[in-house]
Amino acid sequence: MTESARKVEPVTVSSNLWYISVLCVLGWMIPGSGHLLLKKPKRAVTFFLCIMILFFWGMNLGAKIWHYERQQPLTFFAMVAQTGVGTPYFVTRAVGTYAQNHSEFYFYPFAGRFNFGQGVISNITFEYGNTFTWVAGLLNFLVILDAFDIVMKRKE
Amino acid sequence: MTSHFLLMTGFAFLTSIVIALVTKKTPREQWRYFWKFFASLVAIALLIGWIMYPFPLR
């Protein structure tokens, strides 16, 4: 088969639609899990570790957990970038909210590091933290697209 | 840790790994691209820092 013929090879999207959807949603919820489904464990573990380290390192530096504020529409993009990491974003947000009223909670000190989701603006590393968490989410979007390309046979 | 340089290097390191794995196919290409990307991020950050050095903070 020539190179040009290989490029136009049709991909049966409709038959794999459920599989592709599960792959992308799972890949979003747990970074790297899409590649794990595709039997690429080394890549999966590397993606998982890199994205998790970036996200939790960012939170530890005092990042804010962003959510949409109508008065400041640009916060929407910050929220979308952070939600890219999937489950860790929602877990961290829940931990921050819960720990605020429960000082005996095991993760209270961790939640205190990012001021229970409000971020530590006075911290010199506040903007670093935000950047780390945003980029972690955006990288996970790239990882999901990579898994999508593999399942569509555009990439190995 | 509040060292700006170490934070920036750590960020560049982790980001470069993901970018290299996503964009290149063979391990050799990924390895080469990782170093190129990592070095570029660190070098450009240092260069911009150096250019901004004469500017006052306030």
Side-chain angles (χ1 to χ4, degrees):
Chain A
M1 191 187 288
T2 59
E3 188 65 31
S4 57
R6 205 178 293 145
K7 276 180 186 167
V8 291
E9 191 178 294
V11 179
T12 53
V13 178
S14 56
S15 61
N16 290 329
L17 198 60
W18 173 247
Y19 179 64
I20 293 169
S21 307
V22 168
L23 190 97
C24 290
V25 171
L26 206 67
W28 169 63
M29 286 172 71
I30 305 163
S33 59
H35 286 78
L36 202 63
L37 272 184
L38 293 167
K39 296 187 174 58
K40 294 189 182 295
K42 279 184 192 170
R43 268 198 209 185
V45 170
T46 312
F47 287 143
F48 179 80
L49 286 177
C50 287
I51 291 170
M52 288 294 101
I53 291 170
L54 260 182
F55 183 76
F56 286 107
W57 193 2
M59 293 315 300
N60 207 39
L61 289 171
K64 180 180 175 176
I65 296 176
W66 292 87
H67 44 84
Y68 179 63
E69 293 164 25
R70 196 174 283 182
Q71 292 80 14
Q72 296 176 7
L74 288 177
T75 55
F76 174 76
F77 296 108
M79 183 196 73
V80 168
Q82 272 192 346
T83 50
V85 289
T87 312
Y89 168 83
F90 298 103
V91 169
T92 311
R93 192 168 165 169
V95 164
T97 310
Y98 183 78
Q100 203 163 12
N101 302 317
H102 300 84
S103 57
E104 75 286 354
F105 184 43
Y106 182 74
F107 291 107
Y108 182 84
F110 169 65
R113 302 280 295 182
F114 54 90
N115 197 18
F116 311 101
Q118 300 303 309
V120 190
I121 299 171
S122 59
N123 245 358
I124 198 164
T125 55
F126 173 68
E127 289 299 342
Y128 274 96
N130 283 331
T131 308
F132 276 45
T133 54
W134 292 335
V135 171
L138 295 173
L139 283 177
N140 196 33
F141 285 134
L142 278 182
V143 170
I144 296 166
L145 284 175
D146 187 60
F148 181 75
D149 277 348
I150 292 169
V151 84
M152 295 296 280
K153 295 181 173 54
R154 291 177 193 151
K155 198 183 170 191
E156 285 171 18
Chain B
M1 184 169 70
T2 52
S3 161
H4 290 238
F5 180 73
L6 285 180
L7 286 172
M8 184 264 288
T9 311
F11 174 83
F13 179 78
L14 293 169
T15 309
S16 304
I17 292 173
V18 178
I19 295 288
L21 284 176
V22 164
T23 52
K24 298 295 171 188
K25 287 179 182 173
T26 63
R28 189 182 155 82
E29 281 178 335
Q30 287 167 351
W31 190 242
R32 285 185 66 183
Y33 194 72
F34 162 75
W35 282 112
K36 218 183 273 184
F37 198 84
F38 175 69
S40 304
L41 283 178
V42 175
I44 291 168
L46 287 175
L47 183 72
I48 292 173
W50 182 72
I51 291 169
M52 285 166 62
Y53 188 69
F55 292 97
L57 286 172
R58 293 179 191 197

